[in-house]
Amino acid sequence: MHLYLLRHGEADWPDWEGKDDDRPLTKSGLPRASQTADIAAEHLKVRVHEESMLAPGFRAATLATIRRKYPQQVLMLVGHEPDFSEVVAAFTGGKVKFAKAGVALVELTGRKGKLLWLFPPKLAK
């Protein structure tokens, strides 16, 4: 299975007083996770399925449930840091850090994985 992990875009509002999930993005960044997924889906011509399991706090153990729910051979998840870095580490043993709007491709075979690439946003465009 090929698993793409896309971190949401910039959402830096230092004076924001609302819920973190409602924080809008900067003009230079993509929207947060669901809006980032919409942009990626439009570009890739695929459908978005909102998944509450990808909320902040997502872990490698949760990925098994998501894989059962969405058994496709290619899957893209859009979410948050440090969650995605921890998931990559759990499956590959590699230490990475996702930039905002960065994307990685992990090849999964059972409980093991291999990080094929990790692109910062400038290359991911």
Side-chain angles (χ1 to χ4, degrees):
M1 165 190 208
H2 283 130
L3 177 66
Y4 291 87
L5 298 166
L6 172 60
R7 183 179 177 195
H8 69 74
E10 288 184 32
D12 187 20
W13 291 89
D15 297 328
W16 184 255
E17 294 183 17
K19 289 176 36 184
D20 183 63
D21 288 346
D22 295 335
R23 191 167 38 126
L25 290 175
T26 63
K27 289 181 182 179
S28 65
L30 296 172
R32 303 233 342 146
S34 65
Q35 294 168 323
T36 301
D38 289 339
I39 291 168
E42 182 179 331
H43 179 75
L44 298 170
K45 298 184 181 0
V46 296
R47 287 186 298 147
V48 171
H49 298 276
E50 191 169 318
E51 183 53 66
S52 62
M53 289 183 274
L54 291 171
F58 170 72
R59 297 289 177 259
T62 311
L63 185 56
T65 304
I66 290 175
R67 288 175 71 183
R68 283 191 299 276
K69 188 172 180 180
Y70 305 100
Q72 293 82 353
Q73 288 302 306
V74 177
L75 187 62
M76 177 180 273
L77 304 180
V78 181
H80 309 274
E81 271 295 283
D83 302 348
F84 278 1
S85 292
E86 292 171 2
V87 167
V88 169
F91 282 97
T92 71
K95 184 177 179 179
V96 299
K97 183 175 181 184
F98 283 74
K100 291 175 183 162
V103 62
L105 174 58
V106 177
E107 184 177 58
L108 293 175
T109 307
R111 294 182 181 179
K112 298 280 184 183
K114 179 165 73 171
L115 178 64
L116 299 180
W117 47 258
L118 172 64
F119 290 152
K122 287 182 182 181
L123 292 177
K125 287 181 184 180

